[in-house]
Amino acid sequence: MRRQRQAAFSVAYTALLAALSLVILYGSCLVPTGRAGVVGLAGLLPAAAVISGGPSSGVLCYAGTGILAFLLLPDKGNVLLYLLFFGLYPLVKYSIERIRRLTLELVLKLAFFNGMLSVFWFVLRTIFLSAIPLSTQSLPLLYLGGSAVFLMYDFGFSKLIAFYIARVDKPLRNGRSAN
């Protein structure tokens, strides 16, 4: 019986996180500036699902949000940004950080980021990077600067995960074990 209640809680909590992520993504369609930041905020919720319910919950949160966002949201560019980077990164981060070798982790995270940046630059440039006045000659500068910003993002993301574990997940687990 206890196991069934935990499974039901996990499914319900994952669905709640997916719905909240979808609402935040919808908000990214409404704000005039800072859309990438709002999409990044929506990408925090699959990380919460991974922490609270495991990697399968994270995948369900990410996939459910992505499918519903594609069907319901008017700005498909924000949905692509979520699907290709901000929603996917918590799952990638979880997988990479299980290695527990810092140098290799950093190399793999940078490889993921630079791979996604390449997709955005070479495939989706007209949607995402059209406002950046860069020529092909200054592309190395884009990758170098982007990598530096990404490492700061990853550090901040790790701090937010630690905060979530201490302030949300731990009290949730204590509340569940009392039942």
Side-chain angles (χ1 to χ4, degrees), residues 30-113:
L30 302 176
V31 295
T33 61
R35 289 177 182 222
V38 177
V39 175
L41 185 64
L44 295 174
L45 297 166
V50 169
I51 293 164
S52 296
S56 59
S57 292
V59 170
L60 286 174
C61 180
Y62 164 74
T65 301
I67 291 167
L68 288 173
F70 238 144
L71 294 173
L72 300 174
L73 298 186
D75 191 343
K76 304 306 184 208
N78 290 355
V79 177
L80 280 174
L81 190 58
Y82 175 83
L83 286 172
L84 294 176
F85 186 72
F86 287 112
L88 182 61
Y89 185 65
L91 303 170
V92 171
K93 181 177 177 65
Y94 171 80
S95 299
I96 290 173
E97 288 182 352
R98 294 185 67 197
I99 296 171
R100 302 250 184 246
R101 290 178 31 214
L102 185 61
T103 306
L104 182 58
E105 287 176 16
L106 286 173
V107 167
L108 290 173
K109 287 177 185 179
L110 284 170
F112 170 76
F113 170 75

